[in-house]
Amino acid sequence: MSREDIYKVLEKEFVSTFIDELIPGMLHNFANPLNGIIGRSKLLQKRIEENIKKIRENYPEAASEMMEDHRKMKADIETISHESDKFFSLFRNVADKFYIIATPEKERLNLSRVIETEMRFADLYLDFKHDIKKELQLDEYLPEITGFAADYSMFVWALITYSKNRMKTCSVKEFSVSTTHDDRYVCLTMRDTGCVMPEEQKKILLDCLSSDGAISPEPKVDSGLLHALLLLKKYNAHVQMQCQDGCDVISVKIPYNSSRSSGGN
């Protein structure tokens, strides 16, 4: 074997450890020092304010001379505290994603909360964070659906990625996702300003979803979108695709009765 072939084998072995072993270990090892930094920055901010107050009360003349130094010191501590909070928020976004996809059991889920988690994680993709205008209209009180959290996480991630990639060359980049429900279904609707999918591809995609047979290795549609919708098919989901005002709209209805949304293995 060549050096390149040997390296690729080891690289594949290394990547295979990411989700189940490496990422959980990294998150665990990062959590303690991060919590320490946040805690100490808050404590330091409080102590600085208390000390400045004491100096003003006991040594007002000195406090007046040191006013500018105190102002700068307080500003620096506030910045450290603020940046620590931002870093913790980013850490939590990554942690939430990987804890979800590493959860092996079925559970009751609120789809709106899954979407919120995935949208925060998607902001780690810089083009999605900075280049695309996002709109969320999420029903906070959705009935819970039953299934593997990892399935729904990957499904929503794949839809976001599909939209993001479609809009790379568009001058107008807008993405919206909404959730609603009725007496039987939880409903998700996703819309973007990417190029409209040709009717031929749309038909192939819907035929793949309605077929119980094997899927062609190259079905001529986006693989991520196809497999995301195939995954939701395991939960008896219904998919509709239409064009509205020059934009593709994907609608998914998922039954929330536990006996009908159990999912597959």
Side-chain angles (χ1 to χ4, degrees), residues 135-208:
E135 180 182 1
L136 276 71
Q137 295 181 345
L138 303 179
D139 181 353
E140 182 181 353
Y141 302 104
L142 282 182
E144 292 183 327
I145 50 181
T146 301
F148 294 102
D151 289 352
Y152 288 100
S153 173
M154 285 301 188
F155 161 70
V156 176
W157 171 83
L159 288 187
I160 293 173
T161 302
Y162 168 73
S163 288
K164 176 175 71 74
N165 292 339
R166 277 162 36 87
M167 292 188 285
K168 280 186 176 179
T169 59
C170 297
S171 57
V172 177
K173 301 180 180 181
E174 297 178 354
F175 171 86
S176 68
V177 58
S178 62
T179 56
T180 57
H181 73 279
D182 57 25
D183 59 350
R184 295 181 62 194
Y185 297 99
V186 164
C187 306
L188 176 151
T189 302
M190 187 201 74
R191 176 192 181 105
D192 64 57
T193 55
C195 300
V196 175
M197 181 186 294
E199 288 299 320
E200 178 187 3
Q201 289 189 23
K202 193 179 297 184
K203 183 179 183 303
I204 292 173
L205 179 63
L206 294 175
D207 286 346
C208 288

Coordinates of all heavy atoms in Angstrom, one line a residue, residues 135-208:
E135 N -35.6 33.5 9.2 CA -36.8 33.8 9.8 C -37.4 32.5 10.4 O -37.6 31.5 9.7 CB -37.9 34.4 8.8 CG -39.2 34.7 9.5 CD -40.2 35.3 8.5 OE1 -39.9 35.4 7.3 OE2 -41.3 35.6 9.0
L136 N -37.7 32.5 11.7 CA -38.3 31.4 12.4 C -39.6 31.8 13.0 O -39.8 32.8 13.6 CB -37.4 30.9 13.5 CG -36.2 30.0 13.2 CD1 -35.1 30.7 12.5 CD2 -35.7 29.4 14.5
Q137 N -40.6 30.9 12.7 CA -41.9 31.1 13.3 C -42.3 29.7 13.9 O -42.9 28.9 13.2 CB -43.0 31.5 12.2 CG -42.7 32.9 11.7 CD -43.7 33.3 10.6 OE1 -44.5 32.5 10.1 NE2 -43.7 34.6 10.3
L138 N -41.9 29.5 15.1 CA -42.0 28.2 15.7 C -43.1 28.1 16.8 O -43.1 29.0 17.7 CB -40.6 27.8 16.3 CG -39.5 27.8 15.3 CD1 -38.2 27.4 16.1 CD2 -39.7 26.8 14.2
D139 N -43.9 27.1 16.7 CA -45.0 26.9 17.7 C -44.3 26.3 18.9 O -43.9 25.1 18.9 CB -46.0 26.0 17.1 CG -47.2 25.7 18.0 OD1 -47.1 26.1 19.2 OD2 -48.2 25.1 17.6
E140 N -44.3 27.1 20.0 CA -43.6 26.6 21.2 C -44.4 25.5 21.9 O -43.8 24.7 22.6 CB -43.5 27.8 22.2 CG -42.8 27.5 23.5 CD -42.8 28.7 24.4 OE1 -43.2 29.8 24.0 OE2 -42.3 28.5 25.6
Y141 N -45.7 25.4 21.6 CA -46.5 24.4 22.3 C -46.9 23.2 21.4 O -48.0 22.7 21.5 CB -47.7 25.1 22.9 CG -47.4 26.2 23.8 CD1 -47.5 27.5 23.4 CD2 -46.9 26.0 25.1 CE1 -47.2 28.6 24.2 CE2 -46.6 27.0 26.0 CZ -46.7 28.3 25.5 OH -46.4 29.3 26.4
L142 N -46.0 22.8 20.5 CA -46.3 21.7 19.7 C -46.5 20.4 20.5 O -45.8 20.2 21.5 CB -45.1 21.4 18.8 CG -44.8 22.3 17.5 CD1 -43.6 21.7 16.8 CD2 -46.1 22.3 16.6
P143 N -47.4 19.6 20.1 CA -47.5 18.2 20.7 C -46.2 17.5 20.5 O -45.6 17.7 19.5 CB -48.7 17.6 19.9 CG -49.5 18.7 19.3 CD -48.5 19.8 19.0
E144 N -45.9 16.7 21.5 CA -44.6 15.9 21.3 C -44.8 14.8 20.4 O -45.8 14.1 20.3 CB -44.2 15.4 22.7 CG -43.8 16.6 23.7 CD -43.3 16.0 25.0 OE1 -43.8 15.0 25.4 OE2 -42.4 16.7 25.6
I145 N -43.7 14.5 19.6 CA -43.6 13.3 18.8 C -42.7 12.3 19.4 O -41.8 12.7 20.2 CB -43.1 13.7 17.4 CG1 -41.9 14.6 17.4 CG2 -44.2 14.5 16.6 CD1 -41.3 15.0 16.1
T146 N -42.8 11.1 19.0 CA -42.0 10.0 19.6 C -41.0 9.5 18.6 O -41.3 9.3 17.4 CB -42.8 8.8 20.0 OG1 -43.8 9.3 21.0 CG2 -42.0 7.7 20.6
G147 N -39.7 9.4 19.0 CA -38.7 8.9 18.1 C -37.3 9.0 18.6 O -37.1 9.4 19.8
F148 N -36.4 8.8 17.8 CA -35.0 9.0 18.1 C -34.6 10.4 17.9 O -34.8 10.9 16.8 CB -34.0 8.1 17.3 CG -34.2 6.6 17.6 CD1 -35.0 5.8 16.7 CD2 -33.7 6.0 18.7 CE1 -35.2 4.4 17.0 CE2 -33.8 4.7 19.0 CZ -34.6 3.9 18.1
A149 N -34.1 11.1 18.9 CA -33.7 12.5 18.8 C -32.7 12.7 17.7 O -32.7 13.7 16.9 CB -33.1 13.0 20.1
A150 N -31.8 11.7 17.5 CA -30.7 11.8 16.5 C -31.4 11.8 15.1 O -30.8 12.5 14.2 CB -29.8 10.6 16.6
D151 N -32.4 11.1 14.9 CA -33.1 11.1 13.6 C -33.6 12.5 13.2 O -33.4 13.0 12.1 CB -34.3 10.1 13.6 CG -33.8 8.7 13.6 OD1 -32.6 8.4 13.5 OD2 -34.7 7.8 13.7
Y152 N -34.3 13.1 14.2 CA -34.9 14.4 13.9 C -33.8 15.5 13.8 O -33.9 16.4 13.0 CB -35.9 14.8 15.0 CG -37.2 14.0 14.8 CD1 -37.4 12.9 15.6 CD2 -38.1 14.3 13.8 CE1 -38.6 12.1 15.5 CE2 -39.3 13.6 13.7 CZ -39.5 12.5 14.5 OH -40.6 11.7 14.3
S153 N -32.7 15.3 14.6 CA -31.6 16.2 14.5 C -31.0 16.2 13.1 O -30.7 17.2 12.5 CB -30.6 15.9 15.6 OG -29.4 16.7 15.4
M154 N -30.7 15.0 12.7 CA -30.1 14.8 11.3 C -31.0 15.3 10.2 O -30.6 15.9 9.2 CB -29.6 13.4 11.1 CG -28.4 13.0 11.9 SD -27.0 14.0 11.4 CE -25.7 13.2 12.3
F155 N -32.3 15.1 10.4 CA -33.3 15.5 9.4 C -33.3 17.0 9.2 O -33.2 17.5 8.1 CB -34.7 15.0 9.8 CG -35.8 15.7 9.2 CD1 -36.1 15.5 7.8 CD2 -36.6 16.6 9.9 CE1 -37.1 16.2 7.2 CE2 -37.7 17.2 9.3 CZ -37.9 17.0 8.0
V156 N -33.4 17.7 10.4 CA -33.4 19.2 10.3 C -32.1 19.7 9.8 O -32.0 20.6 9.0 CB -33.7 19.8 11.7 CG1 -33.7 21.3 11.7 CG2 -35.1 19.3 12.1
W157 N -31.0 19.1 10.3 CA -29.6 19.6 9.8 C -29.5 19.4 8.3 O -29.0 20.3 7.6 CB -28.5 18.7 10.5 CG -27.2 19.0 9.9 CD1 -26.3 20.0 10.1 CD2 -26.5 18.2 8.9 NE1 -25.2 19.9 9.4 CE2 -25.3 18.7 8.6 CE3 -26.9 17.0 8.2 CZ2 -24.4 18.2 7.7 CZ3 -26.0 16.5 7.3 CH2 -24.8 17.1 7.0
A158 N -30.0 18.3 7.7 CA -29.9 18.0 6.3 C -30.8 19.0 5.5 O -30.3 19.5 4.4 CB -30.4 16.6 6.0
L159 N -31.9 19.4 6.0 CA -32.8 20.4 5.4 C -32.1 21.8 5.3 O -32.1 22.5 4.3 CB -34.1 20.5 6.0 CG -35.1 19.4 5.9 CD1 -36.5 19.8 6.5 CD2 -35.3 19.0 4.4
I160 N -31.5 22.2 6.5 CA -30.8 23.4 6.5 C -29.6 23.4 5.6 O -29.4 24.4 4.8 CB -30.3 23.7 8.0 CG1 -31.5 23.9 8.9 CG2 -29.4 24.9 8.0 CD1 -31.1 24.0 10.4
T161 N -28.8 22.3 5.6 CA -27.7 22.2 4.7 C -28.1 22.3 3.2 O -27.4 22.9 2.4 CB -26.9 21.0 5.0 OG1 -26.5 21.0 6.4 CG2 -25.7 20.8 4.1
Y162 N -29.2 21.6 2.9 CA -29.7 21.6 1.5 C -30.0 23.0 1.1 O -29.6 23.5 0.0 CB -30.9 20.7 1.5 CG -31.7 20.9 0.2 CD1 -31.3 20.3 -1.0 CD2 -33.0 21.5 0.2 CE1 -32.0 20.5 -2.2 CE2 -33.7 21.6 -0.9 CZ -33.3 21.1 -2.1 OH -34.0 21.3 -3.3
S163 N -30.7 23.8 1.9 CA -31.1 25.1 1.6 C -29.8 26.0 1.5 O -29.7 26.8 0.6 CB -32.0 25.7 2.6 OG -33.3 25.1 2.5
K164 N -28.9 25.9 2.5 CA -27.7 26.7 2.5 C -26.9 26.5 1.2 O -26.5 27.5 0.6 CB -26.8 26.3 3.7 CG -25.5 27.0 3.8 CD -24.8 26.7 5.0 CE -24.3 25.2 5.1 NZ -23.1 25.0 4.2
N165 N -26.7 25.3 0.8 CA -26.0 25.0 -0.4 C -26.7 25.5 -1.7 O -26.0 25.9 -2.7 CB -25.7 23.5 -0.6 CG -24.8 23.0 0.5 OD1 -24.0 23.7 1.1 ND2 -24.8 21.7 0.8
R166 N -28.0 25.4 -1.7 CA -28.7 25.9 -2.9 C -28.6 27.4 -3.1 O -28.7 27.9 -4.2 CB -30.2 25.5 -2.8 CG -30.6 24.1 -3.2 CD -31.9 23.7 -2.6 NE -32.9 24.7 -2.5 CZ -33.8 25.0 -3.6 NH1 -33.7 24.4 -4.7 NH2 -34.7 26.0 -3.4
M167 N -28.4 28.1 -2.0 CA -28.4 29.6 -2.1 C -27.0 30.2 -2.3 O -26.8 31.4 -2.3 CB -29.1 30.2 -0.9 CG -30.5 29.9 -0.8 SD -31.4 30.8 0.6 CE -30.8 29.8 2.0
K168 N -26.0 29.3 -2.4 CA -24.6 29.9 -2.5 C -24.4 30.9 -3.6 O -23.7 31.8 -3.4 CB -23.6 28.7 -2.7 CG -23.3 28.0 -1.4 CD -22.3 26.9 -1.5 CE -21.9 26.3 -0.2 NZ -20.9 25.2 -0.3
T169 N -25.0 30.7 -4.7 CA -24.8 31.6 -5.9 C -26.0 32.6 -6.1 O -26.0 33.3 -7.1 CB -24.6 30.8 -7.2 OG1 -25.8 30.0 -7.4 CG2 -23.4 29.9 -7.1
C170 N -26.9 32.6 -5.1 CA -28.0 33.5 -5.2 C -27.7 34.9 -4.7 O -27.0 35.0 -3.7 CB -29.2 32.9 -4.5 SG -29.8 31.4 -5.2
S171 N -28.2 35.9 -5.3 CA -28.0 37.3 -4.8 C -28.9 37.6 -3.6 O -28.5 38.3 -2.7 CB -28.4 38.3 -5.9 OG -29.7 38.1 -6.4
V172 N -30.1 37.0 -3.5 CA -31.0 37.1 -2.4 C -31.0 35.7 -1.7 O -31.3 34.7 -2.2 CB -32.4 37.4 -2.8 CG1 -33.3 37.4 -1.6 CG2 -32.5 38.8 -3.5
K173 N -30.6 35.8 -0.4 CA -30.4 34.5 0.4 C -31.3 34.6 1.6 O -31.0 35.3 2.6 CB -29.0 34.3 0.8 CG -28.1 34.2 -0.4 CD -26.6 34.0 0.0 CE -25.7 33.9 -1.2 NZ -24.3 33.6 -0.9
E174 N -32.5 34.0 1.6 CA -33.4 34.1 2.6 C -33.9 32.6 3.0 O -34.3 31.9 2.0 CB -34.6 35.0 2.3 CG -34.2 36.4 2.1 CD -35.4 37.3 1.7 OE1 -36.5 36.8 1.5 OE2 -35.2 38.5 1.6
F175 N -34.0 32.3 4.2 CA -34.4 31.0 4.7 C -35.4 31.2 5.8 O -35.2 32.0 6.7 CB -33.2 30.3 5.2 CG -33.5 29.0 5.9 CD1 -33.6 27.8 5.2 CD2 -33.6 28.9 7.3 CE1 -33.9 26.6 5.8 CE2 -33.9 27.7 7.9 CZ -34.1 26.5 7.2
S176 N -36.5 30.4 5.7 CA -37.5 30.5 6.7 C -38.0 29.1 7.1 O -38.0 28.2 6.2 CB -38.7 31.4 6.3 OG -39.4 30.8 5.3
V177 N -38.3 28.9 8.3 CA -38.9 27.6 8.8 C -39.9 27.9 9.8 O -39.8 28.8 10.7 CB -37.7 26.7 9.3 CG1 -37.0 27.3 10.5 CG2 -38.3 25.3 9.7
S178 N -41.0 27.2 9.7 CA -42.1 27.4 10.6 C -42.7 26.0 11.1 O -42.5 25.0 10.4 CB -43.2 28.2 10.0 OG -43.8 27.6 8.9
T179 N -43.3 26.0 12.2 CA -44.0 24.8 12.7 C -45.4 25.2 13.2 O -45.6 26.2 13.7 CB -43.2 24.2 13.9 OG1 -43.0 25.1 14.9 CG2 -41.9 23.6 13.5
T180 N -46.3 24.2 12.9 CA -47.7 24.4 13.4 C -48.2 23.0 13.7 O -47.4 22.0 13.6 CB -48.6 25.0 12.3 OG1 -48.5 24.1 11.1 CG2 -48.2 26.4 12.0
H181 N -49.4 22.8 14.2 CA -50.0 21.5 14.4 C -51.5 21.6 14.3 O -52.1 22.6 14.4 CB -49.6 21.0 15.7 CG -50.3 21.6 16.9 ND1 -49.9 22.8 17.4 CD2 -51.3 21.2 17.6 CE1 -50.6 23.2 18.4 NE2 -51.6 22.2 18.6
D182 N -52.1 20.4 14.0 CA -53.5 20.3 14.0 C -53.9 19.1 15.0 O -53.0 18.7 15.8 CB -54.1 20.1 12.6 CG -53.5 18.9 11.9 OD1 -53.0 17.9 12.6 OD2 -53.5 18.8 10.7
D183 N -55.0 18.5 14.8 CA -55.4 17.5 15.8 C -54.7 16.1 15.5 O -54.9 15.2 16.3 CB -56.9 17.3 15.8 CG -57.5 17.0 14.4 OD1 -56.7 17.0 13.4 OD2 -58.7 16.6 14.4
R184 N -53.9 16.0 14.4 CA -53.3 14.8 14.1 C -51.8 14.9 13.8 O -51.0 14.0 14.1 CB -53.9 14.1 12.9 CG -55.4 13.7 13.0 CD -55.9 13.1 11.8 NE -55.2 11.9 11.4 CZ -55.2 11.3 10.2 NH1 -56.0 11.8 9.2 NH2 -54.6 10.2 9.9
Y185 N -51.4 16.0 13.3 CA -50.0 16.2 12.8 C -49.3 17.4 13.4 O -49.9 18.4 13.6 CB -50.0 16.3 11.3 CG -50.6 15.1 10.5 CD1 -51.9 15.1 10.0 CD2 -49.8 14.0 10.3 CE1 -52.4 14.0 9.4 CE2 -50.3 12.9 9.6 CZ -51.6 12.9 9.1 OH -52.0 11.8 8.5
V186 N -48.0 17.2 13.5 CA -47.1 18.3 13.7 C -46.5 18.6 12.3 O -46.1 17.7 11.6 CB -45.9 17.9 14.6 CG1 -44.7 18.8 14.5 CG2 -46.4 17.8 16.1
C187 N -46.6 19.9 12.0 CA -46.2 20.3 10.6 C -45.0 21.2 10.6 O -44.9 22.2 11.4 CB -47.4 21.0 10.0 SG -49.0 20.1 10.0
L188 N -44.1 20.9 9.7 CA -42.9 21.8 9.4 C -42.9 22.3 8.0 O -43.2 21.5 7.1 CB -41.7 21.0 9.7 CG -40.3 21.6 9.4 CD1 -39.2 21.0 10.4 CD2 -39.8 21.4 8.0
T189 N -42.7 23.5 7.8 CA -42.6 24.1 6.5 C -41.3 24.9 6.3 O -40.9 25.7 7.2 CB -43.8 25.1 6.2 OG1 -45.0 24.4 6.4 CG2 -43.7 25.7 4.8
M190 N -40.5 24.5 5.3 CA -39.2 25.2 5.1 C -39.2 25.8 3.7 O -39.7 25.2 2.7 CB -38.1 24.1 5.1 CG -36.7 24.7 5.0 SD -35.5 23.5 4.5 CE -35.9 23.4 2.7
R191 N -38.7 27.0 3.6 CA -38.7 27.8 2.4 C -37.4 28.5 2.2 O -36.8 29.0 3.2 CB -39.9 28.8 2.4 CG -39.9 29.8 1.3 CD -40.9 30.9 1.7 NE -41.1 31.9 0.6 CZ -42.1 32.0 -0.2 NH1 -43.2 31.1 0.0 NH2 -42.2 32.9 -1.2
D192 N -36.9 28.5 1.0 CA -35.6 29.3 0.7 C -35.7 29.9 -0.6 O -36.5 29.6 -1.4 CB -34.4 28.4 0.9 CG -34.3 27.3 -0.1 OD1 -34.4 27.5 -1.4 OD2 -34.3 26.1 0.3
T193 N -34.7 30.8 -0.9 CA -34.7 31.5 -2.2 C -33.7 30.9 -3.1 O -33.2 31.6 -4.0 CB -34.4 33.0 -1.9 OG1 -33.2 33.1 -1.2 CG2 -35.5 33.7 -1.2
G194 N -33.4 29.7 -2.9 CA -32.5 29.0 -3.9 C -33.2 28.7 -5.2 O -34.4 29.0 -5.4
C195 N -32.4 28.2 -6.1 CA -33.0 27.9 -7.5 C -34.1 26.9 -7.3 O -34.0 25.9 -6.6 CB -31.9 27.4 -8.4 SG -30.5 28.5 -8.7
V196 N -35.1 27.1 -8.1 CA -36.3 26.2 -8.0 C -35.9 24.8 -8.5 O -35.3 24.7 -9.6 CB -37.5 26.7 -8.8 CG1 -38.6 25.8 -8.9 CG2 -37.9 28.1 -8.2
M197 N -36.3 23.8 -7.8 CA -36.0 22.4 -8.2 C -36.8 22.1 -9.5 O -38.0 22.3 -9.5 CB -36.3 21.4 -7.1 CG -36.0 19.9 -7.5 SD -36.6 18.8 -6.2 CE -35.5 19.2 -4.9
P198 N -36.1 21.6 -10.6 CA -36.9 21.2 -11.8 C -37.9 20.1 -11.4 O -37.8 19.3 -10.5 CB -35.8 20.6 -12.7 CG -34.5 21.2 -12.2 CD -34.7 21.4 -10.7
E199 N -39.0 20.2 -12.2 CA -40.1 19.3 -11.9 C -39.7 17.8 -12.1 O -40.2 16.9 -11.3 CB -41.3 19.6 -12.9 CG -42.0 20.8 -12.6 CD -42.7 20.8 -11.2 OE1 -43.2 19.8 -10.8 OE2 -42.6 21.9 -10.5
E200 N -38.8 17.5 -13.0 CA -38.3 16.2 -13.2 C -37.6 15.6 -11.9 O -37.9 14.5 -11.5 CB -37.3 16.1 -14.3 CG -36.7 14.7 -14.6 CD -35.6 14.7 -15.6 OE1 -35.3 15.7 -16.1 OE2 -35.1 13.6 -15.9
Q201 N -36.8 16.5 -11.3 CA -36.1 16.1 -10.1 C -37.1 15.9 -8.9 O -37.0 15.0 -8.1 CB -35.0 17.1 -9.7 CG -33.8 17.1 -10.6 CD -32.7 17.9 -10.1 OE1 -32.6 18.2 -8.9 NE2 -31.8 18.4 -11.0
K202 N -38.1 16.8 -8.9 CA -39.1 16.8 -7.8 C -39.9 15.4 -7.9 O -40.2 14.8 -6.9 CB -40.0 17.9 -8.0 CG -40.9 18.2 -6.7 CD -41.8 19.4 -6.9 CE -41.0 20.6 -7.1 NZ -41.9 21.8 -7.2
K203 N -40.2 15.1 -9.2 CA -40.9 13.8 -9.4 C -40.1 12.6 -9.0 O -40.6 11.7 -8.3 CB -41.4 13.7 -10.8 CG -42.2 12.4 -11.1 CD -42.6 12.4 -12.6 CE -43.5 11.2 -12.9 NZ -42.9 9.9 -12.5
I204 N -38.8 12.6 -9.3 CA -37.9 11.5 -8.9 C -37.9 11.4 -7.4 O -37.9 10.3 -6.8 CB -36.5 11.8 -9.5 CG1 -36.5 11.6 -11.0 CG2 -35.5 10.7 -8.9 CD1 -35.2 12.0 -11.7
L205 N -37.7 12.6 -6.8 CA -37.6 12.6 -5.3 C -38.9 12.0 -4.7 O -38.8 11.1 -3.8 CB -37.4 14.0 -4.8 CG -37.3 14.2 -3.3 CD1 -36.1 13.4 -2.7 CD2 -37.2 15.7 -3.0
L206 N -40.1 12.5 -5.1 CA -41.3 12.0 -4.5 C -41.6 10.5 -4.9 O -42.1 9.8 -4.1 CB -42.5 12.9 -5.0 CG -42.5 14.3 -4.6 CD1 -43.6 15.1 -5.2 CD2 -42.5 14.4 -3.0
D207 N -41.1 10.1 -6.1 CA -41.2 8.7 -6.4 C -40.4 7.8 -5.5 O -40.8 6.7 -5.1 CB -40.8 8.4 -7.9 CG -41.9 8.9 -8.9 OD1 -43.0 9.2 -8.4 OD2 -41.5 9.1 -10.1
C208 N -39.2 8.3 -5.2 CA -38.3 7.6 -4.3 C -39.0 7.4 -2.9 O -38.9 6.4 -2.2 CB -37.0 8.3 -4.1 SG -35.9 8.2 -5.6

